Amino acid sequence: MPKPKFANESLTTMTEMVFPNDTNTLGNLMGGNLMRLMDIVGAICAQKHSNRIVVTASVDNVSFKEPIPLGSVVTLQAKVTRAFTSSMEVAVEVWAENIPAQKKIHTNKAFLTFVAVDQSGVPIEVPPVITETDEEKEMYEGALRRRQLRLVLAGRMKPEEATELKAIFGL
Amino acid sequence: MPKPKFANESLTTMTEMVFPNDTNTLGNLMGGNLMRLMDIVGAICAQKHSNRIVVTASVDNVSFKEPIPLGSVVTLQAKVTRAFTSSMEVAVEVWAENIPAQKKIHTNKAFLTFVAVDQSGVPIEVPPVITETDEEKEMYEGALRRRQLRLVLAGRMKPEEATELKAIFGL
Amino acid sequence: MPKPKFANESLTTMTEMVFPNDTNTLGNLMGGNLMRLMDIVGAICAQKHSNRIVVTASVDNVSFKEPIPLGSVVTLQAKVTRAFTSSMEVAVEVWAENIPAQKKIHTNKAFLTFVAVDQSGVPIEVPPVITETDEEKEMYEGALRRRQLRLVLAGRMKPEEATELKAIFGL
Amino acid sequence: MPKPKFANESLTTMTEMVFPNDTNTLGNLMGGNLMRLMDIVGAICAQKHSNRIVVTASVDNVSFKEPIPLGSVVTLQAKVTRAFTSSMEVAVEVWAENIPAQKKIHTNKAFLTFVAVDQSGVPIEVPPVITETDEEKEMYEGALRRRQLRLVLAGRMKPEEATELKAIFGL
Amino acid sequence: MPKPKFANESLTTMTEMVFPNDTNTLGNLMGGNLMRLMDIVGAICAQKHSNRIVVTASVDNVSFKEPIPLGSVVTLQAKVTRAFTSSMEVAVEVWAENIPAQKKIHTNKAFLTFVAVDQSGVPIEVPPVITETDEEKEMYEGALRRRQLRLVLAGRMKPEEATELKAIFGL
Amino acid sequence: MPKPKFANESLTTMTEMVFPNDTNTLGNLMGGNLMRLMDIVGAICAQKHSNRIVVTASVDNVSFKEPIPLGSVVTLQAKVTRAFTSSMEVAVEVWAENIPAQKKIHTNKAFLTFVAVDQSGVPIEVPPVITETDEEKEMYEGALRRRQLRLVLAGRMKPEEATELKAIFGL
């Protein structure tokens, strides 16, 4: 097993401008384009943690609450939350900023998982994650629950075996 | 309330080739690029159902099981499953095909929700969905459960109130 | 000679949205961008018929009668009309739709030819086309005439030998 | 009627490199991408002649004889051949060059027509073309014949009325 | 005059992956694409300092010493060094990283200047820069010298009046 | 040493339209996009002179005086000024044209240097430049001075050794 690494070592920041071609009829960033950015920043973050080539395994539910207009500056921040053998969960936070108006809002939070692979695409073990801050510890704890949800949704775990998940529903 | 419409009237097919710039280091389609396509085909489908401008409200958990290599032909098919006042759930299926090798595989299934809005971005009512086939009826039924999961994940519904969801966990 | 295939097996549908960068000063889709889409959908269609890599051999006269504004949904449909040894003629129809306005118009029809090649680019025989509908039969018949026109225009056939073409001019 | 202008005043040269995303599976420039470039250079040329906004009206038969590999330098040259009230025919020549190999070939010749329009898209008269060289005169003569072919193909002229065309077929 | 701001408040980090279409024949990031990224990160940084729309006024000499291969992760960091009425000098540092090989190198340093403008493009005063660290102070000092060089190169200052510059040449 | 070539043999003209995605919030071409075009036209020009693969070594100070609005036609012209063993200095001139308004302005002049390399990236000797016109001779003379400035700025030459440069400052 590779030597454990601090969550914070994987911290990756991406700053982008919203260009005309990224927008929909109302002049706001299209959801799919934001997901493309989330995937790239998440992949770079997972690469940093594992020092491996990584492939996207899944993207958890993402909701889009706030329109992000043309000309906004979008900041994405990604950090590994927990590793499971060859896969890593990455949390991606997104902020949108209208700089001349001095208005910055938190627009999205998403969890993506990546698998580290060798040159032929075979999964390969990654370092466990060492948490330091309270937020990192909370993310680390929640990762197991989110993982069970992913497995249940993918039909690879029976709902009744998802003990962590059942707990949420007060059972 | 607008006049109900058949689910099938919203059926939208998109066919794309995987170009070099869409691929990762291993030469396979990046997950984020596929999500961008899912968002576009889903938005066109929701537009067809509602005859309105639509914005992406959420994308449910998507998992990427199969690599889709450079040069593949990707087919996406989107259909509205159910409407909730001003929002619509759209199911998107994805197939990847290596035509010279005569190999076609089903690679992804995802649920996205879109909200119909007027020119100033204010939500506006959409037609209810009329189902015809068994598959459409099953999708329609499941839509409520998926909606509760989205609300719980977004912190807008308490898990113990998600009656449909609790049923899944055998309670 | 490969086993004949039905024209309909090659049917390919592509749905696209018109984004800002695809438009000219008047905010309409540029002709060249539409031709790029025609080429891609035609190539996928010819690949489906031949199960081979294909390269574009020619594009027949295309006329642009209707402006297609930003935000329109463009639907392209391609079907093989006839095969000539290693080349295939593909008919591409284009519709543009302003969905909120419930206005859909047929904007273009074009014929493209593709040649099936092996990995080193050498032409390779393709399946003959079996027609079923009246429209397919008409397309099949016309393909010979269009082919003669192409050969005459490319200087590879003398006008007086283009018997099919001469017939059109009432001789 | 605007004051006549020399054909040569509209001469427009475009030089481009073939990038990875422009190529097909065999690593050659896709036909549709070349047509997109022809459309842009042709539109700039027609703008120069008319000093107006222009829209693409048609593209004549284009054939692709030579593969243009990744890394090639593509040179396009456009010149107005003749004007018809508000429309202009533009001839576009294409050369592809492998500079390190010192190999330059003429790959395509195409005729496109553009219509000059005002800000609301209404056609507007353009200057007649004054020819100087023998090649320009030949192009000017042929423009009428090509125009009749376009009209016949678009179903806007009866073949038997296309006197210029009939002459070609030795009648 | 707007209230002075700390240099560090403008710090902007951009992380990008090198995609196939960004590379030259040797598979390395093209210089012009890197300059495009420098311009974007610099503009965001200058926007943060001034809370205004900004336009690029100049880019100082940039040299490209190290090839940055396909698949590399490029990190750009921008910080305002000094303000001159309505213009700001921004320093952009670039690192390229081959993460699987655990190799990260500093590849470029560039100075760009941006002018803050109002909606009609008229220059508008920006906050002076407050330096804290030694590096920021050094940058601040050097900004005057670089500004004189820019003015001399642009022919807007006589070399003999560029007192700061003359000092460099040991006079 | 390769046989000398005329400066004029490397002349390269590129014509581009400014598309929506190339523009900033004010609707003008972003500086970084123009630099990307300068790099491409300069690289093609240096390839023509050397008949080799080339890589960008440096871009000298570029200033942006004039906004270039959406829809403008941008013409870039590149010519080799002088060769230094394996490197070449290329001068790039840029004009922007609003064709309907019949307004054409000279917007930028930049000097870029490129190094000719073999397939493994090793520098390789290039032909000396033969000048013919007065302008070419003047460019040739100035190249040495600009080269010293580049070396001084890159910290590879001591200012006091830059004899050509010192002359400018009247020493």
Side-chain angles (χ1 to χ4, degrees), chain C residues 68-83:
Chain C
I68 304 180
L70 176 64
S72 298
V73 169
V74 177
T75 307
L76 298 103
Q77 220 161 42
K79 202 196 269 189
V80 166
T81 62
R82 189 165 181 168

PDB file of all heavy atoms in Angstrom, chain C residues 68-83:
ATOM      1  N   ILE C  68     -30.697  30.352 -40.007  1.00  0.00           N
ATOM      2  CA  ILE C  68     -30.932  29.525 -38.819  1.00  0.00           C
ATOM      3  C   ILE C  68     -30.380  30.291 -37.619  1.00  0.00           C
ATOM      4  O   ILE C  68     -29.177  30.311 -37.391  1.00  0.00           O
ATOM      5  CB  ILE C  68     -30.240  28.150 -38.955  1.00  0.00           C
ATOM      6  CG1 ILE C  68     -30.710  27.444 -40.248  1.00  0.00           C
ATOM      7  CG2 ILE C  68     -30.487  27.292 -37.732  1.00  0.00           C
ATOM      8  CD1 ILE C  68     -30.072  26.068 -40.466  1.00  0.00           C
ATOM      9  N   PRO C  69     -31.257  30.941 -36.828  1.00  0.00           N
ATOM     10  CA  PRO C  69     -30.761  31.851 -35.780  1.00  0.00           C
ATOM     11  C   PRO C  69     -30.155  31.131 -34.565  1.00  0.00           C
ATOM     12  O   PRO C  69     -30.484  29.974 -34.288  1.00  0.00           O
ATOM     13  CB  PRO C  69     -32.009  32.635 -35.356  1.00  0.00           C
ATOM     14  CG  PRO C  69     -33.098  32.232 -36.287  1.00  0.00           C
ATOM     15  CD  PRO C  69     -32.708  30.935 -36.930  1.00  0.00           C
ATOM     16  N   LEU C  70     -29.295  31.856 -33.870  1.00  0.00           N
ATOM     17  CA  LEU C  70     -28.711  31.446 -32.585  1.00  0.00           C
ATOM     18  C   LEU C  70     -29.791  30.839 -31.687  1.00  0.00           C
ATOM     19  O   LEU C  70     -30.892  31.385 -31.573  1.00  0.00           O
ATOM     20  CB  LEU C  70     -28.141  32.695 -31.900  1.00  0.00           C
ATOM     21  CG  LEU C  70     -27.558  32.541 -30.494  1.00  0.00           C
ATOM     22  CD1 LEU C  70     -26.348  31.642 -30.509  1.00  0.00           C
ATOM     23  CD2 LEU C  70     -27.158  33.900 -29.929  1.00  0.00           C
ATOM     24  N   GLY C  71     -29.486  29.706 -31.052  1.00  0.00           N
ATOM     25  CA  GLY C  71     -30.441  29.091 -30.137  1.00  0.00           C
ATOM     26  C   GLY C  71     -31.350  28.075 -30.811  1.00  0.00           C
ATOM     27  O   GLY C  71     -32.052  27.330 -30.129  1.00  0.00           O
ATOM     28  N   SER C  72     -31.332  28.029 -32.152  1.00  0.00           N
ATOM     29  CA  SER C  72     -32.132  27.035 -32.870  1.00  0.00           C
ATOM     30  C   SER C  72     -31.617  25.629 -32.566  1.00  0.00           C
ATOM     31  O   SER C  72     -30.455  25.437 -32.213  1.00  0.00           O
ATOM     32  CB  SER C  72     -32.009  27.238 -34.387  1.00  0.00           C
ATOM     33  OG  SER C  72     -32.501  28.485 -34.769  1.00  0.00           O
ATOM     34  N   VAL C  73     -32.507  24.655 -32.727  1.00  0.00           N
ATOM     35  CA  VAL C  73     -32.103  23.253 -32.678  1.00  0.00           C
ATOM     36  C   VAL C  73     -32.041  22.762 -34.119  1.00  0.00           C
ATOM     37  O   VAL C  73     -33.006  22.909 -34.871  1.00  0.00           O
ATOM     38  CB  VAL C  73     -33.091  22.428 -31.848  1.00  0.00           C
ATOM     39  CG1 VAL C  73     -32.818  20.939 -32.014  1.00  0.00           C
ATOM     40  CG2 VAL C  73     -32.986  22.829 -30.380  1.00  0.00           C
ATOM     41  N   VAL C  74     -30.885  22.223 -34.497  1.00  0.00           N
ATOM     42  CA  VAL C  74     -30.696  21.743 -35.863  1.00  0.00           C
ATOM     43  C   VAL C  74     -30.707  20.212 -35.844  1.00  0.00           C
ATOM     44  O   VAL C  74     -29.984  19.603 -35.063  1.00  0.00           O
ATOM     45  CB  VAL C  74     -29.358  22.255 -36.435  1.00  0.00           C
ATOM     46  CG1 VAL C  74     -29.113  21.695 -37.831  1.00  0.00           C
ATOM     47  CG2 VAL C  74     -29.352  23.767 -36.459  1.00  0.00           C
ATOM     48  N   THR C  75     -31.555  19.616 -36.680  1.00  0.00           N
ATOM     49  CA  THR C  75     -31.604  18.162 -36.779  1.00  0.00           C
ATOM     50  C   THR C  75     -31.115  17.749 -38.155  1.00  0.00           C
ATOM     51  O   THR C  75     -31.593  18.274 -39.161  1.00  0.00           O
ATOM     52  CB  THR C  75     -33.038  17.645 -36.567  1.00  0.00           C
ATOM     53  OG1 THR C  75     -33.527  18.180 -35.338  1.00  0.00           O
ATOM     54  CG2 THR C  75     -33.076  16.135 -36.491  1.00  0.00           C
ATOM     55  N   LEU C  76     -30.136  16.850 -38.178  1.00  0.00           N
ATOM     56  CA  LEU C  76     -29.615  16.353 -39.459  1.00  0.00           C
ATOM     57  C   LEU C  76     -29.913  14.866 -39.546  1.00  0.00           C
ATOM     58  O   LEU C  76     -29.748  14.136 -38.553  1.00  0.00           O
ATOM     59  CB  LEU C  76     -28.104  16.553 -39.551  1.00  0.00           C
ATOM     60  CG  LEU C  76     -27.604  17.999 -39.492  1.00  0.00           C
ATOM     61  CD1 LEU C  76     -27.045  18.315 -38.130  1.00  0.00           C
ATOM     62  CD2 LEU C  76     -26.576  18.263 -40.576  1.00  0.00           C
ATOM     63  N   GLN C  77     -30.371  14.421 -40.722  1.00  0.00           N
ATOM     64  CA  GLN C  77     -30.650  13.006 -40.902  1.00  0.00           C
ATOM     65  C   GLN C  77     -29.944  12.532 -42.170  1.00  0.00           C
ATOM     66  O   GLN C  77     -30.094  13.135 -43.228  1.00  0.00           O
ATOM     67  CB  GLN C  77     -32.152  12.769 -40.991  1.00  0.00           C
ATOM     68  CG  GLN C  77     -32.550  11.523 -40.242  1.00  0.00           C
ATOM     69  CD  GLN C  77     -34.026  11.514 -39.913  1.00  0.00           C
ATOM     70  OE1 GLN C  77     -34.847  11.879 -40.743  1.00  0.00           O
ATOM     71  NE2 GLN C  77     -34.369  11.086 -38.713  1.00  0.00           N
ATOM     72  N   ALA C  78     -29.173  11.464 -42.027  1.00  0.00           N
ATOM     73  CA  ALA C  78     -28.385  10.963 -43.151  1.00  0.00           C
ATOM     74  C   ALA C  78     -28.753   9.516 -43.454  1.00  0.00           C
ATOM     75  O   ALA C  78     -29.003   8.729 -42.532  1.00  0.00           O
ATOM     76  CB  ALA C  78     -26.898  11.058 -42.815  1.00  0.00           C
ATOM     77  N   LYS C  79     -28.789   9.182 -44.745  1.00  0.00           N
ATOM     78  CA  LYS C  79     -29.090   7.808 -45.156  1.00  0.00           C
ATOM     79  C   LYS C  79     -28.333   7.520 -46.458  1.00  0.00           C
ATOM     80  O   LYS C  79     -28.288   8.380 -47.354  1.00  0.00           O
ATOM     81  CB  LYS C  79     -30.594   7.669 -45.409  1.00  0.00           C
ATOM     82  CG  LYS C  79     -31.108   6.249 -45.326  1.00  0.00           C
ATOM     83  CD  LYS C  79     -32.475   6.107 -45.960  1.00  0.00           C
ATOM     84  CE  LYS C  79     -33.604   6.309 -44.974  1.00  0.00           C
ATOM     85  NZ  LYS C  79     -34.926   5.961 -45.574  1.00  0.00           N
ATOM     86  N   VAL C  80     -27.740   6.337 -46.559  1.00  0.00           N
ATOM     87  CA  VAL C  80     -27.046   5.950 -47.787  1.00  0.00           C
ATOM     88  C   VAL C  80     -28.085   5.770 -48.894  1.00  0.00           C
ATOM     89  O   VAL C  80     -29.145   5.194 -48.664  1.00  0.00           O
ATOM     90  CB  VAL C  80     -26.253   4.641 -47.564  1.00  0.00           C
ATOM     91  CG1 VAL C  80     -25.823   4.044 -48.880  1.00  0.00           C
ATOM     92  CG2 VAL C  80     -25.039   4.907 -46.678  1.00  0.00           C
ATOM     93  N   THR C  81     -27.790   6.288 -50.108  1.00  0.00           N
ATOM     94  CA  THR C  81     -28.742   6.120 -51.221  1.00  0.00           C
ATOM     95  C   THR C  81     -28.312   5.006 -52.171  1.00  0.00           C
ATOM     96  O   THR C  81     -29.132   4.263 -52.678  1.00  0.00           O
ATOM     97  CB  THR C  81     -28.856   7.420 -52.051  1.00  0.00           C
ATOM     98  OG1 THR C  81     -27.573   7.694 -52.619  1.00  0.00           O
ATOM     99  CG2 THR C  81     -29.311   8.585 -51.187  1.00  0.00           C
ATOM    100  N   ARG C  82     -27.002   4.893 -52.395  1.00  0.00           N
ATOM    101  CA  ARG C  82     -26.511   3.913 -53.366  1.00  0.00           C
ATOM    102  C   ARG C  82     -25.008   3.745 -53.201  1.00  0.00           C
ATOM    103  O   ARG C  82     -24.319   4.670 -52.778  1.00  0.00           O
ATOM    104  CB  ARG C  82     -26.805   4.418 -54.788  1.00  0.00           C
ATOM    105  CG  ARG C  82     -26.531   3.389 -55.870  1.00  0.00           C
ATOM    106  CD  ARG C  82     -27.167   3.814 -57.169  1.00  0.00           C
ATOM    107  NE  ARG C  82     -26.951   2.834 -58.225  1.00  0.00           N
ATOM    108  CZ  ARG C  82     -27.591   2.856 -59.396  1.00  0.00           C
ATOM    109  NH1 ARG C  82     -28.483   3.802 -59.649  1.00  0.00           N
ATOM    110  NH2 ARG C  82     -27.359   1.937 -60.314  1.00  0.00           N
ATOM    111  N   ALA C  83     -24.527   2.546 -53.492  1.00  0.00           N
ATOM    112  CA  ALA C  83     -23.090   2.301 -53.401  1.00  0.00           C
ATOM    113  C   ALA C  83     -22.525   2.048 -54.798  1.00  0.00           C
ATOM    114  O   ALA C  83     -23.219   1.501 -55.656  1.00  0.00           O
ATOM    115  CB  ALA C  83     -22.825   1.094 -52.510  1.00  0.00           C
TER     116      ALA C  83
END
